[in-house]
Amino acid sequence: MSTMVERVARAIDEAEVGYSINLTRLVDGVSTYTLRYQGVSDPLEFSSYDEASEHVRTTRNERRARAAIEAMTEPCDEMIQAGVSEDQTDEVYRDVRSVYTAMIRAALKEQA
């Protein structure tokens, strides 16, 4: 079994965003750039390449953050042990795991 850090690192690495940015119009010196994300049918339009790139950066960071949080949904045994004293019962152990998992799931439901 992998450590939590390894799990999160792998999730971040796998959370790649496929995209393309193309200059689609140039009329009277006004540029229009079209951003298409892989697997998304509706393109987005921007007035500059920098704006499109910033959108990609934000989307990539949010996807990586979400992947990292999702990877942490199930706590490892060391995390549970840190939240439970040695004289507590298995029921408390399960409760700590349930509370932790519920907290992570709530974080994933948050909207920006």
Coordinates of all heavy atoms in Angstrom, one line a residue, residues 19-99:
Y19 N -5.8 20.4 -24.0 CA -6.4 21.6 -24.5 C -5.7 22.0 -25.8 O -4.6 21.6 -26.1 CB -6.4 22.7 -23.5 CG -5.1 23.2 -23.2 CD1 -4.6 24.3 -24.0 CD2 -4.2 22.6 -22.3 CE1 -3.3 24.8 -23.7 CE2 -3.0 23.1 -22.0 CZ -2.5 24.2 -22.8 OH -1.2 24.7 -22.5
S20 N -6.4 22.9 -26.5 CA -5.7 23.6 -27.7 C -6.2 25.0 -27.7 O -7.4 25.3 -27.4 CB -6.0 22.9 -29.0 OG -7.4 23.0 -29.3
I21 N -5.3 25.9 -28.0 CA -5.6 27.3 -28.2 C -5.3 27.7 -29.6 O -4.1 27.5 -30.0 CB -4.9 28.2 -27.2 CG1 -5.2 27.8 -25.8 CG2 -5.2 29.7 -27.4 CD1 -4.3 28.6 -24.7
N22 N -6.2 28.3 -30.3 CA -6.0 28.6 -31.7 C -6.5 30.0 -32.0 O -7.6 30.4 -31.5 CB -6.7 27.7 -32.7 CG -6.2 26.3 -32.6 OD1 -5.0 26.0 -32.8 ND2 -7.1 25.4 -32.2
L23 N -5.8 30.8 -32.8 CA -6.3 32.1 -33.3 C -7.3 31.7 -34.4 O -7.0 31.1 -35.4 CB -5.1 32.9 -33.9 CG -5.5 34.2 -34.6 CD1 -6.1 35.1 -33.6 CD2 -4.3 34.8 -35.2
T24 N -8.6 32.1 -34.1 CA -9.6 31.7 -35.0 C -10.1 32.9 -35.8 O -10.8 32.7 -36.9 CB -10.8 31.1 -34.3 OG1 -11.2 32.0 -33.2 CG2 -10.4 29.7 -33.7
R25 N -9.9 34.1 -35.4 CA -10.3 35.3 -36.1 C -9.3 36.4 -35.9 O -8.8 36.6 -34.8 CB -11.7 35.8 -35.7 CG -12.9 35.3 -36.4 CD -14.1 36.0 -36.0 NE -14.3 35.9 -34.5 CZ -15.3 35.3 -33.9 NH1 -16.2 34.8 -34.6 NH2 -15.3 35.3 -32.6
L26 N -9.1 37.2 -37.0 CA -8.3 38.4 -36.9 C -9.0 39.4 -37.9 O -8.8 39.3 -39.1 CB -6.9 38.1 -37.3 CG -5.9 39.3 -37.2 CD1 -5.9 39.9 -35.8 CD2 -4.5 38.9 -37.6
V27 N -9.8 40.3 -37.3 CA -10.6 41.2 -38.1 C -10.2 42.6 -37.6 O -10.4 42.9 -36.4 CB -12.1 41.0 -38.0 CG1 -12.9 42.0 -38.8 CG2 -12.4 39.5 -38.4
D28 N -9.8 43.5 -38.5 CA -9.4 44.8 -38.2 C -8.5 44.9 -36.9 O -8.7 45.8 -36.1 CB -10.7 45.7 -37.9 CG -11.5 45.8 -39.2 OD1 -10.9 45.8 -40.3 OD2 -12.8 45.9 -39.1
G29 N -7.6 44.0 -36.9 CA -6.6 44.0 -35.8 C -7.1 43.5 -34.5 O -6.4 43.5 -33.4
V30 N -8.4 43.0 -34.5 CA -9.0 42.4 -33.2 C -8.9 40.9 -33.4 O -9.4 40.2 -34.3 CB -10.4 42.8 -33.1 CG1 -11.0 42.1 -31.8 CG2 -10.5 44.3 -33.0
S31 N -8.2 40.3 -32.4 CA -8.0 38.8 -32.4 C -9.0 38.1 -31.6 O -9.5 38.6 -30.6 CB -6.6 38.5 -31.8 OG -5.6 39.1 -32.5
T32 N -9.3 36.9 -32.0 CA -10.2 36.0 -31.2 C -9.5 34.7 -31.1 O -9.1 34.1 -32.1 CB -11.6 35.8 -31.8 OG1 -12.2 37.1 -31.9 CG2 -12.5 34.9 -31.0
Y33 N -9.3 34.2 -29.9 CA -8.6 32.9 -29.7 C -9.7 31.9 -29.1 O -10.5 32.3 -28.3 CB -7.5 33.0 -28.6 CG -6.3 33.8 -29.2 CD1 -6.2 35.2 -29.1 CD2 -5.3 33.1 -29.8 CE1 -5.2 35.9 -29.7 CE2 -4.2 33.8 -30.3 CZ -4.1 35.2 -30.3 OH -3.1 35.8 -30.8
T34 N -9.6 30.7 -29.7 CA -10.6 29.7 -29.2 C -9.8 28.7 -28.4 O -8.8 28.1 -28.9 CB -11.2 29.1 -30.5 OG1 -11.9 30.1 -31.2 CG2 -12.2 28.0 -30.0
L35 N -10.4 28.4 -27.3 CA -9.8 27.4 -26.3 C -10.7 26.2 -26.3 O -11.9 26.3 -26.1 CB -9.7 28.0 -24.9 CG -9.4 27.0 -23.8 CD1 -8.1 26.3 -24.0 CD2 -9.4 27.8 -22.5
R36 N -10.2 25.0 -26.6 CA -11.0 23.8 -26.6 C -10.3 22.8 -25.6 O -9.1 22.6 -25.7 CB -11.0 23.1 -27.9 CG -11.8 23.9 -29.0 CD -11.8 23.1 -30.3 NE -12.3 24.0 -31.4 CZ -13.5 24.2 -31.7 NH1 -14.5 23.6 -31.0 NH2 -13.8 25.0 -32.7
Y37 N -11.1 22.4 -24.6 CA -10.6 21.3 -23.7 C -10.9 20.0 -24.3 O -12.0 19.8 -24.8 CB -11.2 21.5 -22.3 CG -10.7 22.7 -21.6 CD1 -11.4 23.8 -21.4 CD2 -9.4 22.7 -21.0 CE1 -10.9 24.9 -20.7 CE2 -8.9 23.7 -20.3 CZ -9.7 24.9 -20.1 OH -9.2 25.9 -19.4
Q38 N -10.0 19.0 -24.1 CA -10.2 17.7 -24.5 C -11.4 17.1 -23.8 O -11.5 17.2 -22.6 CB -9.0 16.8 -24.3 CG -9.1 15.4 -24.8 CD -7.7 14.7 -24.5 OE1 -6.9 15.2 -23.7 NE2 -7.6 13.6 -25.1
G39 N -12.4 16.5 -24.6 CA -13.5 15.9 -24.0 C -14.7 16.9 -23.7 O -15.7 16.5 -23.1
V40 N -14.5 18.2 -24.0 CA -15.5 19.2 -23.8 C -16.0 19.7 -25.1 O -15.1 20.1 -25.9 CB -15.0 20.3 -22.9 CG1 -16.1 21.4 -22.7 CG2 -14.6 19.8 -21.5
S41 N -17.2 19.7 -25.4 CA -17.7 20.0 -26.8 C -17.8 21.5 -27.1 O -17.5 22.0 -28.2 CB -19.1 19.4 -27.1 OG -20.0 19.9 -26.1
D42 N -18.0 22.3 -26.0 CA -18.2 23.8 -26.3 C -16.9 24.5 -26.1 O -16.3 24.5 -25.0 CB -19.2 24.4 -25.3 CG -20.6 23.8 -25.5 OD1 -21.0 23.4 -26.6 OD2 -21.4 23.7 -24.5
P43 N -16.4 25.2 -27.2 CA -15.2 26.0 -27.1 C -15.4 27.3 -26.4 O -16.6 27.8 -26.3 CB -14.8 26.2 -28.6 CG -16.1 26.2 -29.3 CD -17.0 25.2 -28.5
L44 N -14.4 27.8 -25.8 CA -14.4 29.1 -25.2 C -13.6 30.1 -26.0 O -12.6 29.8 -26.6 CB -13.8 29.0 -23.8 CG -14.4 28.0 -22.8 CD1 -13.6 27.9 -21.6 CD2 -15.8 28.5 -22.5
E45 N -14.1 31.4 -26.1 CA -13.4 32.4 -26.9 C -12.8 33.5 -25.9 O -13.4 33.9 -25.0 CB -14.4 33.0 -27.9 CG -14.7 32.1 -29.0 CD -15.5 32.8 -30.1 OE1 -16.0 33.9 -29.9 OE2 -15.7 32.2 -31.2
F46 N -11.6 34.0 -26.3 CA -10.9 35.0 -25.6 C -10.3 36.0 -26.5 O -10.0 35.7 -27.7 CB -9.8 34.3 -24.8 CG -10.3 33.4 -23.7 CD1 -10.4 32.0 -24.0 CD2 -10.6 33.8 -22.5 CE1 -10.9 31.1 -23.1 CE2 -11.1 32.9 -21.5 CZ -11.2 31.6 -21.8
S47 N -10.1 37.2 -26.0 CA -9.6 38.3 -26.9 C -8.1 38.3 -27.0 O -7.5 39.0 -27.8 CB -10.1 39.6 -26.4 OG -9.7 39.9 -25.1
S48 N -7.4 37.5 -26.1 CA -6.0 37.4 -26.2 C -5.5 36.0 -25.8 O -6.2 35.2 -25.1 CB -5.3 38.4 -25.2 OG -5.4 38.0 -23.9
Y49 N -4.4 35.6 -26.3 CA -3.8 34.3 -26.0 C -3.5 34.2 -24.5 O -3.7 33.2 -23.9 CB -2.5 34.1 -26.8 CG -1.9 32.8 -26.6 CD1 -2.3 31.7 -27.4 CD2 -0.9 32.5 -25.6 CE1 -1.7 30.5 -27.3 CE2 -0.4 31.3 -25.4 CZ -0.8 30.2 -26.3 OH -0.3 29.0 -26.1
D50 N -3.1 35.3 -23.9 CA -2.8 35.4 -22.4 C -4.0 35.0 -21.6 O -3.9 34.3 -20.6 CB -2.2 36.7 -22.0 CG -0.8 36.9 -22.5 OD1 -0.1 35.9 -22.9 OD2 -0.3 38.1 -22.5
E51 N -5.2 35.6 -22.0 CA -6.4 35.3 -21.3 C -6.8 33.8 -21.4 O -7.2 33.2 -20.4 CB -7.6 36.1 -21.8 CG -7.6 37.5 -21.5 CD -8.7 38.3 -22.1 OE1 -9.7 37.7 -22.5 OE2 -8.6 39.5 -22.2
A52 N -6.6 33.2 -22.6 CA -6.9 31.8 -22.7 C -5.9 31.0 -21.9 O -6.3 30.0 -21.2 CB -6.8 31.4 -24.2
S53 N -4.7 31.3 -21.9 CA -3.7 30.6 -21.1 C -3.9 30.7 -19.6 O -3.7 29.7 -18.9 CB -2.3 31.2 -21.4 OG -1.9 31.0 -22.7
E54 N -4.4 31.8 -19.2 CA -4.7 32.0 -17.7 C -5.9 31.1 -17.4 O -5.9 30.5 -16.3 CB -5.1 33.5 -17.4 CG -5.5 33.7 -16.0 CD -4.4 33.4 -15.0 OE1 -3.2 33.4 -15.4 OE2 -4.7 33.2 -13.8
H55 N -6.9 31.0 -18.3 CA -8.0 30.1 -18.0 C -7.5 28.6 -17.9 O -7.9 27.9 -17.0 CB -9.0 30.2 -19.2 CG -10.3 29.5 -18.8 ND1 -10.6 28.2 -19.0 CD2 -11.5 30.1 -18.4 CE1 -11.8 27.9 -18.6 NE2 -12.4 29.1 -18.3
V56 N -6.6 28.2 -18.8 CA -6.0 26.9 -18.7 C -5.3 26.7 -17.4 O -5.4 25.6 -16.7 CB -5.1 26.6 -19.9 CG1 -4.3 25.3 -19.7 CG2 -5.8 26.6 -21.2
R57 N -4.5 27.7 -17.0 CA -3.7 27.6 -15.8 C -4.7 27.4 -14.6 O -4.5 26.5 -13.7 CB -2.9 28.8 -15.5 CG -1.9 28.7 -14.3 CD -1.2 30.0 -14.0 NE -2.2 31.0 -13.5 CZ -2.7 31.0 -12.3 NH1 -2.4 30.1 -11.4 NH2 -3.5 32.0 -11.9
T58 N -5.7 28.2 -14.5 CA -6.7 28.1 -13.4 C -7.4 26.7 -13.4 O -7.5 26.1 -12.4 CB -7.7 29.2 -13.5 OG1 -7.0 30.4 -13.4 CG2 -8.7 29.1 -12.4
T59 N -7.8 26.3 -14.6 CA -8.5 25.0 -14.7 C -7.6 23.8 -14.3 O -8.0 22.9 -13.6 CB -9.0 24.8 -16.2 OG1 -9.9 25.8 -16.5 CG2 -9.7 23.5 -16.4
R60 N -6.3 23.9 -14.8 CA -5.4 22.8 -14.4 C -5.1 22.8 -12.9 O -5.1 21.7 -12.3 CB -4.0 23.1 -15.1 CG -3.0 22.1 -14.8 CD -1.6 22.4 -15.5 NE -1.7 22.5 -16.9 CZ -1.2 23.5 -17.6 NH1 -0.6 24.5 -17.0 NH2 -1.3 23.5 -18.9
N61 N -4.9 24.0 -12.3 CA -4.7 24.0 -10.9 C -5.9 23.5 -10.1 O -5.7 22.8 -9.1 CB -4.4 25.4 -10.4 CG -3.0 25.8 -10.9 OD1 -2.2 25.0 -11.2 ND2 -2.7 27.1 -10.8
E62 N -7.1 23.9 -10.5 CA -8.3 23.4 -9.8 C -8.5 21.9 -10.0 O -8.8 21.2 -9.0 CB -9.6 24.1 -10.3 CG -9.6 25.5 -9.9 CD -10.8 26.3 -10.5 OE1 -11.5 25.8 -11.3 OE2 -10.9 27.5 -10.1
R63 N -8.2 21.4 -11.2 CA -8.3 19.9 -11.4 C -7.3 19.2 -10.5 O -7.6 18.1 -10.0 CB -8.1 19.6 -12.9 CG -8.4 18.1 -13.1 CD -8.4 17.8 -14.6 NE -9.6 18.4 -15.2 CZ -9.9 18.3 -16.5 NH1 -9.1 17.6 -17.3 NH2 -11.0 18.9 -17.0
R64 N -6.0 19.7 -10.4 CA -5.0 19.1 -9.6 C -5.4 19.1 -8.1 O -5.2 18.1 -7.4 CB -3.7 19.7 -9.8 CG -3.1 19.4 -11.2 CD -1.8 20.2 -11.4 NE -1.2 19.8 -12.7 CZ -0.2 20.5 -13.2 NH1 0.3 21.6 -12.6 NH2 0.3 20.1 -14.4
A65 N -5.9 20.2 -7.7 CA -6.3 20.3 -6.3 C -7.4 19.3 -6.0 O -7.4 18.7 -4.9 CB -6.8 21.8 -6.0
R66 N -8.4 19.3 -6.9 CA -9.5 18.3 -6.7 C -9.0 16.9 -6.6 O -9.4 16.1 -5.8 CB -10.6 18.5 -7.7 CG -11.8 17.6 -7.6 CD -12.9 18.0 -8.6 NE -13.5 19.2 -8.1 CZ -14.4 19.2 -7.1 NH1 -14.8 18.1 -6.5 NH2 -15.0 20.3 -6.8
A67 N -8.1 16.6 -7.5 CA -7.5 15.2 -7.6 C -6.8 14.9 -6.3 O -6.9 13.8 -5.8 CB -6.6 15.1 -8.8
A68 N -6.1 15.9 -5.8 CA -5.3 15.7 -4.5 C -6.3 15.4 -3.4 O -6.1 14.5 -2.5 CB -4.4 16.9 -4.2
I69 N -7.4 16.2 -3.3 CA -8.3 16.0 -2.2 C -9.0 14.7 -2.4 O -9.2 14.0 -1.4 CB -9.4 17.2 -2.2 CG1 -8.6 18.5 -1.8 CG2 -10.5 16.9 -1.3 CD1 -9.5 19.7 -2.1
E70 N -9.4 14.3 -3.6 CA -10.1 13.0 -3.8 C -9.2 11.9 -3.4 O -9.6 10.9 -2.9 CB -10.5 12.9 -5.3 CG -11.7 13.7 -5.7 CD -12.0 13.7 -7.2 OE1 -11.2 13.1 -8.0 OE2 -13.0 14.3 -7.6
A71 N -7.9 12.0 -3.7 CA -6.9 11.0 -3.3 C -6.9 10.8 -1.8 O -6.5 9.7 -1.3 CB -5.5 11.3 -3.8
M72 N -7.2 11.8 -1.0 CA -7.2 11.8 0.4 C -8.5 11.3 1.0 O -8.6 11.3 2.3 CB -6.8 13.1 1.0 CG -5.4 13.5 0.6 SD -5.0 15.2 1.2 CE -4.9 14.8 3.0
T73 N -9.5 10.9 0.2 CA -10.8 10.6 0.7 C -10.7 9.5 1.8 O -11.4 9.5 2.8 CB -11.8 10.2 -0.4 OG1 -11.9 11.3 -1.3 CG2 -13.1 9.8 0.1
E74 N -10.0 8.4 1.5 CA -9.8 7.4 2.5 C -8.5 7.6 3.2 O -7.4 7.5 2.7 CB -9.8 6.0 1.8 CG -11.2 5.6 1.3 CD -12.2 5.4 2.4 OE1 -11.8 4.9 3.5 OE2 -13.3 5.8 2.2
P75 N -8.6 7.8 4.5 CA -7.4 8.0 5.3 C -6.6 6.7 5.5 O -7.1 5.6 5.4 CB -7.9 8.4 6.7 CG -9.3 7.8 6.8 CD -9.8 7.8 5.4
C76 N -5.3 6.9 5.5 CA -4.4 5.7 5.8 C -4.5 5.4 7.3 O -4.9 6.2 8.1 CB -3.0 6.0 5.3 SG -2.2 7.3 6.1
D77 N -4.0 4.2 7.6 CA -4.1 3.7 9.0 C -3.3 4.6 10.0 O -3.7 4.9 11.1 CB -3.6 2.3 9.1 CG -4.5 1.3 8.5 OD1 -5.7 1.6 8.4 OD2 -4.1 0.2 8.1
E78 N -2.2 5.2 9.5 CA -1.4 6.1 10.3 C -2.2 7.3 10.7 O -2.1 7.8 11.8 CB -0.1 6.4 9.6 CG 0.9 5.3 9.4 CD 0.5 4.4 8.2 OE1 -0.3 4.8 7.4 OE2 1.1 3.3 8.1
M79 N -3.0 7.8 9.8 CA -3.8 9.0 10.0 C -4.8 8.7 11.1 O -5.1 9.5 12.0 CB -4.4 9.5 8.7 CG -3.4 10.0 7.7 SD -4.2 10.4 6.1 CE -5.3 11.7 6.5
I80 N -5.5 7.6 10.9 CA -6.5 7.2 11.9 C -5.9 7.0 13.3 O -6.4 7.5 14.3 CB -7.2 5.9 11.5 CG1 -8.0 6.1 10.2 CG2 -8.2 5.4 12.6 CD1 -9.1 7.2 10.2
Q81 N -4.8 6.3 13.3 CA -4.1 6.1 14.6 C -3.7 7.4 15.3 O -3.8 7.5 16.5 CB -2.8 5.2 14.4 CG -3.2 3.8 14.1 CD -4.0 3.1 15.1 OE1 -3.9 3.3 16.3 NE2 -4.9 2.2 14.7
A82 N -3.4 8.4 14.5 CA -3.1 9.7 15.1 C -4.3 10.4 15.7 O -4.1 11.2 16.6 CB -2.5 10.6 14.0
G83 N -5.5 10.0 15.3 CA -6.7 10.6 15.8 C -7.4 9.8 16.9 O -8.4 10.1 17.4
V84 N -6.8 8.6 17.2 CA -7.4 7.7 18.2 C -6.4 7.3 19.2 O -5.2 6.9 18.9 CB -7.9 6.4 17.5 CG1 -8.5 5.4 18.5 CG2 -8.9 6.8 16.4
S85 N -6.7 7.4 20.5 CA -5.8 6.9 21.5 C -5.8 5.4 21.6 O -6.8 4.8 21.2 CB -6.1 7.6 22.9 OG -7.4 7.1 23.3
E86 N -4.8 4.8 22.2 CA -4.6 3.4 22.3 C -5.8 2.7 23.0 O -6.1 1.5 22.7 CB -3.3 3.0 22.9 CG -2.1 3.4 22.0 CD -0.8 3.0 22.6 OE1 -0.8 2.1 23.5 OE2 0.2 3.6 22.2
D87 N -6.4 3.3 24.0 CA -7.4 2.6 24.8 C -8.8 2.8 24.2 O -9.8 2.3 24.9 CB -7.3 3.1 26.2 CG -7.6 4.6 26.4 OD1 -7.5 5.3 25.3 OD2 -8.0 5.1 27.5
Q88 N -9.0 3.3 23.1 CA -10.3 3.5 22.5 C -10.7 2.2 21.7 O -9.9 1.5 21.2 CB -10.4 4.8 21.6 CG -10.3 6.0 22.5 CD -10.2 7.3 21.7 OE1 -9.6 7.3 20.6 NE2 -10.9 8.3 22.2
T89 N -12.0 2.1 21.5 CA -12.5 0.9 20.9 C -12.5 1.0 19.3 O -12.2 2.0 18.8 CB -14.0 0.7 21.3 OG1 -14.7 1.8 20.7 CG2 -14.2 0.7 22.8
D90 N -12.8 -0.2 18.7 CA -12.8 -0.3 17.3 C -14.0 0.7 16.7 O -13.9 1.2 15.7 CB -13.1 -1.7 16.8 CG -11.9 -2.6 16.9 OD1 -10.8 -2.0 17.1 OD2 -12.1 -3.8 16.9
E91 N -15.0 0.8 17.5 CA -16.1 1.7 17.1 C -15.6 3.2 17.0 O -16.0 3.8 16.0 CB -17.2 1.6 18.1 CG -18.5 2.5 17.7 CD -19.6 2.3 18.7 OE1 -19.8 1.2 19.3 OE2 -20.3 3.3 18.9
V92 N -14.8 3.6 17.9 CA -14.2 5.0 17.8 C -13.4 5.1 16.6 O -13.4 6.1 15.8 CB -13.4 5.3 19.1 CG1 -12.7 6.6 18.9 CG2 -14.4 5.4 20.3
Y93 N -12.6 4.0 16.3 CA -11.7 4.0 15.1 C -12.6 4.2 13.9 O -12.2 5.0 13.0 CB -11.0 2.6 15.1 CG -10.0 2.5 14.0 CD1 -8.7 2.8 14.1 CD2 -10.4 1.9 12.8 CE1 -7.8 2.7 13.1 CE2 -9.5 1.7 11.7 CZ -8.2 2.1 11.9 OH -7.3 2.0 10.9
R94 N -13.7 3.4 13.8 CA -14.6 3.6 12.6 C -15.2 5.0 12.6 O -15.4 5.5 11.5 CB -15.7 2.5 12.6 CG -15.2 1.1 12.3 CD -16.3 0.1 12.1 NE -17.1 0.0 13.3 CZ -16.8 -0.9 14.3 NH1 -15.7 -1.6 14.3 NH2 -17.6 -0.9 15.4
D95 N -15.5 5.5 13.7 CA -16.1 6.9 13.7 C -15.1 7.9 13.2 O -15.5 8.8 12.5 CB -16.6 7.2 15.2 CG -17.8 6.5 15.6 OD1 -18.5 5.9 14.7 OD2 -18.1 6.5 16.8
V96 N -13.9 7.8 13.6 CA -12.9 8.8 13.2 C -12.8 8.7 11.7 O -12.7 9.7 11.0 CB -11.5 8.5 13.9 CG1 -10.4 9.3 13.2 CG2 -11.6 8.8 15.3
R97 N -12.7 7.5 11.1 CA -12.6 7.2 9.7 C -13.8 7.8 9.0 O -13.7 8.5 8.0 CB -12.5 5.8 9.4 CG -12.4 5.4 7.9 CD -12.3 4.0 7.6 NE -11.0 3.4 8.1 CZ -9.9 3.4 7.4 NH1 -9.8 4.0 6.2 NH2 -8.8 2.9 7.9
S98 N -15.0 7.6 9.5 CA -16.3 8.2 8.9 C -16.3 9.7 8.9 O -16.7 10.3 7.9 CB -17.5 7.6 9.6 OG -17.6 6.2 9.5
V99 N -15.9 10.3 10.0 CA -15.9 11.7 10.1 C -14.9 12.3 9.2 O -15.2 13.3 8.4 CB -15.6 12.2 11.6 CG1 -15.3 13.7 11.7 CG2 -16.8 11.8 12.5

